[in-house]
Amino acid sequence: MAKSTSEEKVHSQKEWAMVIHGGAGTILESEMTPEKFKQFHGALDSALTIGQKILASNGSALDAIEATIKFLEDSPYFNAGRGAVFTHEGKNELDASVMDGSNKEAGAVGGVTNIKHPISAAIKVMTNSPHVMMVGRGAEQFSKQQGLEQADPSWFKTDRRWESLQKILQKEKSTGAVYEEVDSKFGTVGAVALDKNGNLAAGTSTGGMTNKKFNRIGDSPIIGAGTYADNQLCGVSCTGHGEFFIRYAVAHDVAARMDYLNETVEEASDFIINTKLKEVDGSGGLIALDKNGNYAMPFNTAGMYRGYISPDERFVKMYKE
Ligand code: ASP
């Protein structure tokens, strides 16, 4: 363990900070064209600017992650909102969750098909209902009652994701086997922010996994699996093969290791992704911020779209660098 580096990191207190992801399992570096690079890089960079404007002007961590994730949901490049992957039946079923580290309140929606911004619906569940999670038609009805913007299901459809489903269906037909993903390009989006008042908030939004069946729901809308936040410890948003992230309670495990083992956010996150999950072939990654604004963004896939911003640092990265 690099103790001295960890201690230095713990002591660097940021006034505010935000970390984002656009999914683990990127387009392979060898297949990345300058045009695609510009699209992904540009979208992540714009997302950072959205959070920056809110956090630098004293806005809340919750507002910052909502605005940032809404922007990424509208972008066709990521597997959330517009650009979500397709189910086996050719539908877009969306999941999202949020947690407020200041009071440990949380909200989530699962399997919704016509809410334009699932992250906003998750926030409404948290703030305007006595519940933590709503799914399917009920969640859709609630979002309408709350006055949230609705969208025709066709809004979420992109050719790229439709073709991915066709490729998998073809493969299933020719081999007789069942596939959830063939290329492990997950593409979920997430954000964790620390505001000037020391509040942490985390949110995650996804279309799930291509070819999912029977209203399958992954880790993204599950508090403690895909999303977690606690002002005293950290905020976390995950991306990857959801079944593993649920079974290993990944987002909460980062906080637990920091709490019980006194690990830094980097040590805890790295161990879970690169040792615990790697040993069982659970592919994916996570982003996390501790209460001082220090970040961790480990992944065990070829890449993970990600970015970080604070008053003195800003970057967007895709591969191991
Ligand atoms: N974790 C998501 C799920 O399993 C997929 C992703 O990260 O893209 O639904």
Side-chain angles (χ1 to χ4, degrees):
M1 251 186 271
K3 213 57 194 171
S4 57
T5 328
S6 313
E7 274 158 17
E8 268 162 40
K9 276 202 150 267
V10 169
H11 292 132
S12 75
Q13 170 72 56
K14 314 280 183 222
E15 202 189 0
W16 57 265
M18 185 173 79
V19 61
I20 59 170
H21 72 78
T26 54
I27 294 173
L28 290 177
E29 212 165 351
S30 53
E31 289 165 20
M32 182 55 94
T33 62
E35 194 200 347
K36 282 185 197 156
F37 179 86
K38 225 168 109 185
Q39 290 167 342
F40 283 97
H41 195 281
L44 293 166
D45 199 52
S46 302
L48 288 178
T49 302
I50 290 170
Q52 174 190 33
K53 281 191 183 139
I54 295 171
L55 294 165
S57 56
N58 228 0
S60 73
L62 195 59
D63 285 349
I65 63 140
E66 180 179 18
T68 304
I69 292 176
K70 276 172 84 170
F71 170 79
L72 292 168
E73 286 177 339
D74 284 343
S75 164
Y77 306 124
F78 306 103
N79 171 20
R82 187 161 165 246
V85 299
F86 283 90
T87 65
H88 184 72
E89 293 80 21
K91 291 191 347 183
N92 299 118
E93 292 178 356
L94 313 170
D95 308 329
S97 68
V98 69
M99 187 153 180
D100 181 342
S102 69
N103 51 17
K104 307 280 277 293
E105 290 197 350
V109 293
V112 298
T113 57
N114 60 10
I115 302 174
K116 192 163 184 196
H117 297 113
I119 191 67
S120 300
I123 291 175
K124 289 287 188 205
V125 171
M126 174 172 79
T127 55
N128 291 6
S129 91
H131 308 303
V132 168
M133 190 179 208
M134 295 183 191
V135 300
R137 225 157 53 86
E140 292 171 353
Q141 272 169 3
F142 174 75
S143 84
K144 216 166 167 184
Q145 260 178 28
Q146 293 295 313
L148 290 182
E149 195 174 346
Q150 308 289 298
D152 186 87
S154 62
W155 160 255
F156 303 108
K157 181 176 177 175
T158 54
D159 292 344
R160 184 167 75 102
R161 299 298 193 185
W162 181 253
E163 278 152 26
S164 298
L165 174 67
Q166 304 317 311
K167 253 198 332 207
I168 294 189
L169 294 179
Q170 204 82 51
K171 207 167 164 184
E172 280 194 348
K173 226 171 147 185
S174 58
T175 62
V178 176
Y179 293 94
E180 264 183 323
E181 281 278 348
V182 280
D183 52 9
S184 289
K185 289 188 184 64
F186 299 112
T188 290
V189 308
V192 182
L194 170 74
D195 64 30
K196 287 189 183 179
N197 291 319
N199 292 320
L200 281 165
T204 310
S205 182
T206 191
M209 288 174 79
T210 306
N211 200 33
K212 64 185 183 181
K213 299 185 181 84
F214 310 119
N215 301 113
R216 176 266 188 192
I217 288 189
D219 61 310
S220 307
I222 296 180
I223 299 303
T227 303
Y228 193 72
D230 177 343
N231 270 11
Q232 303 313 314
L233 298 163
C234 61
V236 183
S237 168
C238 300
T239 171
H241 195 158
E243 280 67 15
F244 288 88
F245 284 73
I246 295 172
R247 290 193 277 116
Y248 285 79
V250 169
H252 181 264
D253 201 23
V254 176
R257 294 187 71 89
M258 291 175 70
D259 198 9
Y260 305 142
L261 300 176
N262 211 19
E263 290 185 348
T264 65
V265 71
E266 268 191 305
E267 290 162 348
S269 306
D270 185 62
F271 179 80
I272 294 163
I273 296 297
N274 287 315
T275 301
K276 234 176 164 174
L277 285 185
K278 209 169 170 181
E279 276 170 2
V280 292
D281 279 337
S283 59
L286 65 81
I287 54 165
L289 276 185
D290 71 10
K291 60 181 179 179
N292 299 310
N294 299 300
Y295 62 82
M297 30 178 73
F299 51 96
N300 59 31
T301 44
M304 180 169 80
Y305 298 117
R306 61 201 190 279
Y308 173 77
I309 189 157
S310 71
D312 45 38
E313 198 178 350
R314 176 187 191 128
F315 62 81
V316 166
K317 290 183 184 174
M318 297 185 191
Y319 302 106
K320 295 202 158 96
E321 44 195 274

